[in-house]
């Protein structure tokens, strides 16, 4: 092979390699260029925004742990939040600032039953109208208001009926068993101190010789219409000393007669902590299921007891439902869904020796402290199910923002109404959506709906009817047991007719108001002008007296001169012209020791101003209080 053939072979080899490379490049897929239009690109999936919750006023860690599990974000109160959870009551002024997607864990007005004095007054008031239905609460008095009634009842029981009643005194706004004590005589208390006095249930049901009470949770998601759910799990809190009927030697033993957990855990000798979840029937705090097992072994009808407890919870909230609805409408006037607030109540129930439940008190902020495995299991599941039943999602805020944008677009159009926009957002459709969510979620939780139920019309009759009668004396003196009675057909028919009539009246009022609003929105607004002052040329009134025409001009002239004098214009012009007569300091009657200081002051004034005595002088300066104006120094003669 000569030199030319070798060069040609190298060129052919290079050409073949370049052809192979071009074929490989053609086979590779072409990447989209930067000039691809937005319609050809795939939209990016947005990460859903988490639900925000404010826990600034909540001290329980279990809520923060649940929020971490659900990937909720805890924010301060200054940021926008979807849920506001507080251990304290929520003020109405705070709710007025809420947006439609925000929810609070308290209703305004729930203190009517969460405070001991409010519970006593509310149940005693409605018991005057329904004495046979409200016998589940011990006879009680609110001192010092009901002092005379308490004394008369006590003397009747002691002298006429030959009984030895025992009473329990509770502070009106106390908690954790503080300030509670037992007594037998009216002389053992200070009637001037605010307190609630109750007949003590001296025959409680005992388990292993110890007194106990039941803590059962009630969830109220709406007050108009009323919707309530009871939690199937609960706990039993035991006293730490074997129970003996109250006598003079043991009446002050709080560990025997009181069942408050925070009080009994101080008893180092009798308190037993349960650290094994498998043995939930041991210790000073036990599960509700363990109590049901004991009652079944004694032959009690647990289903009947549970039905009575549910009936007690309904009637307790029904007693203040009109107040709750009124306060809700006042605090949230533009909300029509009725689900801007919710309330998780801790209800305390005591069973007597006949297995009859009694309502002891209501807690609007039950404790969520965790001291045992039983606490951890119960309270974690309780809060999880509560949050799940509420159905708070990021879509609530998204719907609100979409409505805000639509309202912003409609704001410039004629006939816009902010109230109508808020009502569209909180319409009956939103309420129906929330209620469907509750019904669909209920089987996945431990909650059970107790209202509305098959006796809804009977309970609504208690809310509608007003006016109270007097309880018979025999029923007021003794502690009677409550008996469940089904409403008669006549009562149901009358209730239905009355509800229909009330609904018709409300509809007519709303229709008339709507027509009036439409009429006002169509009328053209004419700005009002200030009312002009009119003067009478013949008479003038001064100090309640009528003056004739000649004196009218004199009064007007005096009033004008007085206004000019008070304005300071005349004095200011006189000082500027130097025509104002100097102020003379009178020395008559002054003590002789005052005269040297007065002469020294005159000489100092002459040196500063260079003026002779008796000639007016003026000095411009700023007043120290306002920093403006004139201050005149008088000439001393």
């Amino acid at each position: 092979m000569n030199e030319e053939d070798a060069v040609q072979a190298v060129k052919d080899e290079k050409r073949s390699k370049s052809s192979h490379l071009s074929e490989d490049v053609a086979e590779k897929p072409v990447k989209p260029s930067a000039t691809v239009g937005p319609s050809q690109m795939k939209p990016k999936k947005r990460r859903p925004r988490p639900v925000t919750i404010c826990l600034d006023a909540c001290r329980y860690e279990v809520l923060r742990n649940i929020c971490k599990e659900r990937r909720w974000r805890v924010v301060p109160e200054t940021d926008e939040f979807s849920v506001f959870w507080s251990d304290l009551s929520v003020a109405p002024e705070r709710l007025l600032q809420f947006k439609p997607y925000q929810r609070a864990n308290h209703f305004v007005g729930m203190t009517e039953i969460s405070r001991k004095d409010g519970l006593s007054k509310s149940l005693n008031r409605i018991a005057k109208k329904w004495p046979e239905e409200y016998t589940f609460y011990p006879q009680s008095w609110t001192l010092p208001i009901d002092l005379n009634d308490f004394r008369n009842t006590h003397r009747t029981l002691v002298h006429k009926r030959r009984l030895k009643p025992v009473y329990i005194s509770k502070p009106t706004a106390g908690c954790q068993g503080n300030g509670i004590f037992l007594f037998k005589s009216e002389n053992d208390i200070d009637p001037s101190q605010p307190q609630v006095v109750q007949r003590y249930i001296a025959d409680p049901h005992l388990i292993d010789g110890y007194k106990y009470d039941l803590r059962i949770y009630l969830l109220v998601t709406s007050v108009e219409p009323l919707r309530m759910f009871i939690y199937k799990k609960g706990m039993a809190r035991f006293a730490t000393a074997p129970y003996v009927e109250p006598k003079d030697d043991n009446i002050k033993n709080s560990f025997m007669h009181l069942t408050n957990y925070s009080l009994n855990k101080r008893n180092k000798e009798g308190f037993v902590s349960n650290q094994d979840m498998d043995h939930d029937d041991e210790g000073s705090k036990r599960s509700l299921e363990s109590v049901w097992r004991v009652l079944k072994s004694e032959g009690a009808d647990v289903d009947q007891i549970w039905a009575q407890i549910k009936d007690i919870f309904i009637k307790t909230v029904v007693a203040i439902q009109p107040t709750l609805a009124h306060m809700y409408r006042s605090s949230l006037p533009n909300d029509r869904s009725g689900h801007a607030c919710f309330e998780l109540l801790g209800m305390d129930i005591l069973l007597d020796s006949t297995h009859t439940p009694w309502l002891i008190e209501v807690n609007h902020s039950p404790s969520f402290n965790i001291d045992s495995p039983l606490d951890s299991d119960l309270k974690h599941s309780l809060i999880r199910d509560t949050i799940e039943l509420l159905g708070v999602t990021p879509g609530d805020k998204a719907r609100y923002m979409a409505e805000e944008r639509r309202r912003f677009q409609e704001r410039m159009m004629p006939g816009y109404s902010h109230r109508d926009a808020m009502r569209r957002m909180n319409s009956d459709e939103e309420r129906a959506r929330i209620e469907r969510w509750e019904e669909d979620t209920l089987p996945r939780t431990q909650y059970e709906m107790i209202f509305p139920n098959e006796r809804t019309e009977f309970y609504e009759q208690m809310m509608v009817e007003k006016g109270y009668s007097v309880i018979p004396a025999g029923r007021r003196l003794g502690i009677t047991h409550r008996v469940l009675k089904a409403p008669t057909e006549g009562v149901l028919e009358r209730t239905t007719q009355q509800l229909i009539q009330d609904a018709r009246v409300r509809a007519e009022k709303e229709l008339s108001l709507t027509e009036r609003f439409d009429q006002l929105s169509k009328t053209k607004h004419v700005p009002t002008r200030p009312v002009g002052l009119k003067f009478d040329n013949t008479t003038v009134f001064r100090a309640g007296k009528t003056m004739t025409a000649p004196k009218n001009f004199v009064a007007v002239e005096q009033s004008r001169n007085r206004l000019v004098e008070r304005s300071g214009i005349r004095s200011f012009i006189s000082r500027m012209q130097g025509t104002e007569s100097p102020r003379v300091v009178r020395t008559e009657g002054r003590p002789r020791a005052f005269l040297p200081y007065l002469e020294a002051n005159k000489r100092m004034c002459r040196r500063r101003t260079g003026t002779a005595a008796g000639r007016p002088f003026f000095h411009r300066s700023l007043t120290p209080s306002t920093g403006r104006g004139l201050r005149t120094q008088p000439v001393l003669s």
Side-chain angles (χ1 to χ4, degrees):
M1 181 181 296
N2 54 11
E3 184 176 356
E4 294 179 358
D5 296 338
V7 173
Q8 187 65 28
V10 172
K11 290 181 179 180
D12 295 340
E13 185 177 358
K14 290 182 178 180
R15 193 180 296 109
S16 63
K17 287 183 178 180
S18 63
S19 64
H20 288 303
L21 289 173
S22 62
E23 292 176 1
D24 296 340
V25 171
E27 292 176 358
K28 291 182 179 181
V30 180
K31 294 183 179 180
S33 61
T35 60
V36 178
S39 60
Q40 300 177 2
M41 298 178 63
K42 294 182 179 180
K44 294 182 179 180
K45 293 184 178 180
R46 292 185 178 181
R47 182 179 299 178
R49 296 181 179 180
V51 177
T52 54
I53 183 172
C54 177
L55 299 176
D56 289 350
C58 180
R59 64 181 185 273
Y60 301 112
E61 289 296 329
V62 61
L63 278 162
R64 291 175 172 82
N65 296 335
I66 297 297
C67 292
K68 290 180 181 180
E69 293 178 5
R70 301 183 65 88
R71 297 182 180 180
W72 284 15
R73 184 158 55 91
V74 180
V75 297
E77 190 174 356
T78 55
D79 295 351
E80 290 189 358
F81 51 82
S82 298
V83 180
F84 182 77
W85 195 296
S86 172
D87 298 338
L88 306 174
S89 301
V90 181
E93 296 81 7
R94 187 71 181 89
L95 289 178
L96 282 172
Q97 303 173 359
F98 269 36
K99 296 179 180 178
Y101 67 90
Q102 294 178 324
R103 307 183 73 174
N105 70 320
H106 290 297
F107 284 98
V108 179
M110 194 60 75
T111 53
E112 293 292 326
I113 58 174
S114 60
R115 285 175 56 101
K116 296 178 177 63
D117 55 345
L119 179 64
S120 176
K121 293 177 183 178
S122 300
L123 296 185
N124 287 338
R125 182 170 59 249
I126 196 171
K128 294 179 180 179
K129 178 62 180 176
W130 304 89
E132 296 182 357
E133 298 293 336
Y134 282 85
T135 58
F136 54 82
Y137 188 65
Q139 192 177 10
S140 60
W141 302 266
T142 303
L143 302 186
I145 300 176
D146 301 333
L147 179 59
N148 293 332
D149 189 14
F150 167 67
R151 287 177 174 174
N152 296 333
T153 303
H154 174 70
R155 293 168 185 174
T156 303
L157 293 173
V158 172
H159 299 294
K160 294 185 178 180
R161 304 184 62 178
R162 304 298 180 182
L163 299 177
K164 297 180 180 180
V166 179
Y167 305 96
I168 182 170
S169 174
K170 303 177 182 180
T172 56
C175 61
Q176 298 180 351
N178 298 323
I180 301 178
F181 62 92
L182 275 67
F183 66 96
K184 290 185 175 181
S185 175
E186 57 181 326
N187 299 324
D188 297 338
I189 60 172
D190 183 5
S192 62
Q193 294 296 326
Q195 56 188 306
V196 175
V197 175
Q198 285 183 347
R199 286 285 301 271
Y200 181 71
I201 302 176
D203 57 340
H205 182 262
L206 306 178
I207 295 180
D208 298 335
Y210 292 89
K211 181 182 176 181
Y212 68 94
D213 70 346
L214 304 177
R215 166 60 62 86
I216 304 175
Y217 298 95
L218 177 69
L219 177 63
V220 182
T221 59
S222 174
V223 294
E224 192 181 15
L226 188 61
R227 294 178 68 85
M228 292 185 290
F229 303 85
I230 190 173
Y231 202 64
K232 299 176 184 178
K233 292 183 179 180
M235 68 175 68
R237 303 171 301 180
F238 283 74
T240 53
Y243 180 78
V244 181
E245 290 187 6
K247 298 180 181 179
D248 295 336
D249 56 347
N250 64 13
I251 196 171
K252 295 184 180 181
N253 190 350
S254 301
F255 299 136
M256 177 186 298
H257 300 289
L258 303 182
T259 57
N260 301 82
Y261 179 77
S262 57
L263 174 67
N264 282 278
K265 67 180 181 181
R266 305 174 193 169
N267 187 6
K268 298 181 180 180
E269 298 179 356
F271 180 76
V272 178
S273 178
N274 188 346
Q275 299 298 332
D276 189 1
M277 187 60 191
D278 295 334
H279 298 81
D280 59 347
D281 55 350
E282 299 176 357
S284 299
K285 183 184 289 187
R286 308 179 186 181
S287 66
L288 183 62
E289 290 79 3
S290 65
V291 176
W292 296 150
R293 291 195 295 266
V294 173
L295 293 176
K296 288 180 180 179
S297 63
E298 296 177 358
D301 189 354
V302 175
D303 295 336
Q304 179 66 17
I305 296 175
W306 186 246
Q308 293 177 357
I309 291 175
K310 292 190 290 186
D311 184 70
I312 289 174
F313 290 177
I314 295 173
K315 291 178 180 178
T316 302
V317 180
V318 161
I320 63 166
Q321 191 274 339
T323 302
L324 291 176
H326 172 72
M327 297 297 291
Y328 186 86
R329 289 192 298 268
S330 302
S331 304
L332 297 163
N334 294 323
D335 182 80
R336 300 189 68 185
S337 63
H339 289 78
C341 299
F342 64 94
E343 190 91 32
L344 185 59
L345 301 171
M347 315 288 285
D348 294 341
I349 296 293
L350 178 69
L351 299 179
D352 60 13
S353 58
T354 62
H355 303 150
T356 301
W358 295 86
L359 178 66
I360 303 301
E361 63 182 33
V362 179
N363 299 272
H364 84 290
S365 292
S367 174
F368 293 125
N369 284 326
I370 295 178
D371 297 335
S372 64
L374 177 63
D375 281 336
S376 179
D377 178 73
L378 172 62
K379 294 173 182 177
H380 273 85
S381 62
L382 172 65
I383 297 177
R384 283 197 200 97
D385 293 347
T386 301
I387 293 177
E388 184 70 21
L389 193 62
L390 294 177
V392 181
T393 61
D396 299 339
K397 185 176 180 181
R399 285 192 298 271
Y400 168 75
M401 299 302 294
E403 182 67 20
E404 280 289 315
R405 288 191 294 269
R406 191 169 67 84
R407 285 169 50 195
F408 178 76
Q409 295 174 359
E410 294 180 354
R411 196 167 296 162
M412 296 302 177
M413 302 185 66
Y416 171 78
S417 174
H418 175 74
R419 180 180 298 179
D420 293 341
M422 295 298 293
R423 286 181 177 178
R424 284 198 303 269
M425 187 171 180
N426 300 285
S427 60
D428 296 337
E429 296 179 359
E430 182 69 13
R431 176 187 299 174
R433 185 191 67 82
I434 296 176
E435 292 178 357
R436 285 196 303 270
W437 173 272
E438 292 175 351
E439 295 173 359
D440 296 340
T441 311
L442 198 60
R444 301 196 300 268
T445 64
Q446 293 292 327
Y447 274 108
E448 177 186 355
M449 179 183 286
I450 62 174
F451 194 88
N453 56 15
E454 63 277 1
R455 299 186 67 197
T456 300
E457 295 182 353
F458 177 68
Y459 294 120
E460 287 179 348
Q461 186 181 5
M462 298 181 182
M463 306 178 200
V464 172
E465 289 191 2
K466 297 180 181 180
Y468 305 101
S469 59
V470 180
I471 301 178
R475 187 175 298 279
R476 290 177 60 87
L477 296 178
I479 300 180
T480 58
H481 293 165
R482 184 183 57 80
V483 179
L484 288 175
K485 292 185 179 180
T488 60
E489 296 180 358
V491 173
L492 288 177
E493 292 177 358
R494 188 171 64 256
T495 305
T496 305
Q497 295 176 359
Q498 187 173 5
L499 291 175
I500 294 174
Q501 184 179 0
D502 295 342
R504 187 181 299 108
V505 172
R506 286 196 299 268
E508 292 176 356
K509 290 183 179 179
E510 291 181 359
L511 182 60
S512 61
L513 290 176
T514 305
E515 294 176 353
R516 179 59 177 166
F517 288 147
D518 295 341
Q519 183 181 1
L520 291 176
S521 61
K522 294 178 182 178
T523 58
K524 186 176 180 181
H525 176 68
V526 180
T528 59
R529 297 180 179 179
V531 181
L533 299 177
K534 297 181 180 180
F535 296 95
D536 189 1
N537 296 328
T538 58
T539 58
V540 65
F541 293 92
R542 294 187 61 198
K545 298 180 180 180
T546 305
M547 303 178 65
T548 58
K551 294 183 180 180
N552 185 7
F553 299 101
V554 177
V556 173
E557 183 70 17
Q558 291 178 355
S559 177
R560 186 183 64 83
N561 293 337
R562 191 181 304 109
L563 291 175
V564 173
E565 188 70 26
R566 290 178 180 177
S567 65
I569 297 175
R570 181 179 298 171
S571 177
F572 175 75
I573 296 174
S574 300
R575 290 197 301 269
M576 294 297 294
Q577 295 177 351
T579 59
E580 185 178 10
S581 60
R583 294 175 58 186
V584 180
V585 179
R586 303 293 180 181
T587 60
E588 293 82 359
R590 297 283 184 179
R592 196 174 290 273
F594 174 74
L595 298 179
Y597 296 100
L598 186 60
E599 295 297 332
N601 191 12
K602 291 180 182 180
R603 289 193 297 270
M604 180 181 64
C605 292
R606 292 191 188 99
R607 285 196 303 269
R608 288 183 177 180
T609 60
T611 57
R615 181 180 175 183
F617 67 93
F618 303 93
H619 178 66
R620 284 180 173 274
S621 64
L622 298 177
T623 58
S625 60
T626 62
R628 58 188 178 183
L630 296 173
R631 182 179 61 190
T632 303
Q633 296 181 356
V635 176
L636 304 178
S637 60

